[in-house]
Amino acid sequence: TMASTRQAGRPHIEVPYPTWWLAARMAWNIKVGSEASRARHRTKKGGREPPPRKKREERAFAPTQKKATMGQTPSQPKNKHGTKVLKAKVEHAAKTGILSLTEHKLKEIPSSVAELGAKLKVLDLSQNSLSEIDCSPYPSLKTLKVGKNKLEALDVDCVTLDASENKLATFRCRGRLESLTLKLNPLDGFPSLSKSLKFVDLSGCGLSSFDLTDSPVLTELILDSNALTEVPANLPTLAPKLRHLSVEFNRIRAIPPSLLKSPQLDRLNLKGNPIPKAVFIETDGADDFLKRRERTHKKADTVADKSICGLLD
């Protein structure tokens, strides 16, 4: 049998090769071309073989990962929980002093955790359903994280505390507390802070008054998204080491000159307050503050906020 070809407008041409020979030749050319391509890949990649291509059947039935659409993020695996997982974590904490039980659907602290006693130094109970916590069994506790629970009261003794997004109306500070985060709690008023505090975040707590007590070592104070109308003029006296004050999205109309003249203050966030930029610049002490801020940014090799503390024109 002879193979033939026919094209429009051209005479019929007989090809003097059998059809099976043409098919075999085509397969051979494909094989030789593939080997030559692999040889070129080895030359370029220092002798390494290219990854084998999947067969069409494998590609067709291979599982595909669902891509996130715009505005969405891929779902993250949830934290494992259960009796066996809890037991393993407690045993590990007995050696390390660190225990994380986030997203364990806890309504109370398991008794096995209390048995850790003085061994426990870091405890994370975030994102559970706890309504009360007794930390008396842990005298060596330094860091406690209980954010996103249902706590209405809290009395703990630690160095770092994060109790964000609970139902706390009041809070009592202990002597050795250095870092306190209580954002998004319905506080009845400005809490009485410990003199040992260095960092405080009371954002979104519905505060209408700025009743800060004597805080000799406080360096960072965040009071964003409250209902504050003024910053006390004696703030530099109450917190002489304050370097960063953030009062974004409040109702403050002016900044006291005494604050801007404070030699330690070099970061001030005022975004979302009814303070015109021109009024701020004309405030006594603004030039000194802006110079300190510029020096701080140069030292840290960062760019200063061109909007001037987030204020609009």
Side-chain angles (χ1 to χ4, degrees):
T1 304
M2 305 297 287
S4 63
T5 61
R6 186 181 298 276
Q7 297 181 1
R10 294 188 180 185
H12 179 69
I13 302 175
E14 294 290 336
V15 182
Y17 298 104
T19 304
W20 65 264
W21 188 93
L22 291 174
R25 182 66 181 179
M26 185 177 296
W28 173 260
N29 289 340
I30 293 174
K31 180 178 180 181
V32 172
S34 177
E35 291 180 352
S37 176
R38 296 175 73 86
R40 289 194 298 270
H41 188 282
R42 286 194 297 269
T43 302
K44 292 180 180 180
K45 301 297 181 180
R48 289 181 296 174
E49 286 284 339
R53 296 187 62 185
K54 290 185 178 181
K55 295 181 180 179
R56 182 176 298 178
E57 294 80 7
E58 294 176 351
R59 294 197 302 269
F61 294 98
T64 57
Q65 184 178 3
K66 186 177 181 180
K67 295 183 179 180
T69 57
M70 184 176 295
Q72 297 179 347
T73 55
S75 59
Q76 299 294 330
K78 292 186 177 181
N79 196 11
K80 294 182 179 180
H81 57 84
T83 306
K84 292 183 179 180
V85 175
L86 175 62
K87 182 179 179 181
K89 287 188 174 183
V90 171
E91 290 177 354
H92 183 70
K95 302 175 183 178
T96 63
I98 302 173
L99 178 60
S100 176
L101 297 177
T102 60
E103 295 182 282
H104 272 59
K105 301 180 180 180
L106 300 176
K107 294 184 178 180
E108 60 182 12
I109 300 179
S111 58
S112 57
V113 177
E115 294 175 0
L116 292 172
K119 296 179 181 178
L120 195 60
K121 293 178 174 59
V122 178
L123 179 59
D124 190 346
L125 298 170
S126 304
Q127 302 184 53
N128 283 289
S129 299
L130 300 170
S131 58
E132 59 180 1
I133 291 179
D134 180 15
C135 292
S136 58
Y138 322 112
S140 302
L141 190 65
K142 292 184 178 180
T143 300
L144 176 63
K145 298 181 180 180
V146 289
K148 295 185 178 181
N149 276 279
K150 300 178 181 180
L151 300 174
E152 297 182 0
L154 188 61
D155 185 9
V156 296
D157 186 11
C158 59
V159 177
T160 301
L161 174 63
D162 185 349
S164 305
E165 298 185 53
N166 278 279
K167 299 179 180 181
L168 298 174
T170 59
F171 178 77
R172 176 187 174 189
C173 279
R174 292 294 189 95
R176 63 187 186 125
L177 189 63
E178 295 181 1
S179 177
L180 174 63
T181 303
L182 291 179
K183 59 184 180 181
L184 298 176
N185 276 283
L187 296 177
D188 290 340
F190 207 97
S192 178
L193 302 180
S194 171
K195 292 184 178 182
S196 60
L197 279 167
K198 298 178 181 179
F199 172 87
V200 175
D201 187 349
L202 300 176
S203 302
C205 292
L207 302 175
S208 58
S209 60
F210 199 144
D211 301 325
L212 184 69
T213 54
D214 191 19
S215 304
V217 295
L218 183 65
T219 59
E220 187 168 358
L221 179 59
I222 303 177
L223 300 170
D224 299 338
S225 303
N226 282 290
L228 302 174
T229 57
E230 62 179 1
V231 176
N234 63 341
L235 181 58
T237 304
L238 297 174
K241 293 187 177 181
L242 186 66
R243 297 190 59 186
H244 178 202
L245 174 63
S246 183
V247 286
E248 294 183 349
F249 301 102
N250 279 276
R251 304 171 186 173
I252 300 170
R253 296 185 175 276
I255 298 298
S258 58
L259 177 63
L260 298 177
K261 294 179 181 180
S262 176
Q264 298 296 328
L265 187 72
D266 54 23
R267 290 180 61 193
L268 182 60
N269 300 335
L270 301 172
K271 183 179 179 180
N273 285 279
I275 306 175
K277 185 190 296 185
V279 173
F280 176 83
I281 294 176
E282 293 175 0
T283 304
D284 189 19
D287 291 339
D288 295 337
F289 166 75
L290 293 175
K291 290 178 182 178
R292 286 196 308 273
R293 188 183 70 156
E294 186 67 25
R295 287 196 299 268
T296 300
H297 283 286
K298 285 184 178 180
K299 187 176 180 180
D301 196 20
T302 57
V303 180
D305 181 14
K306 294 183 180 180
S307 65
I308 302 183
C309 305
L311 296 176
L312 301 176
D313 293 331

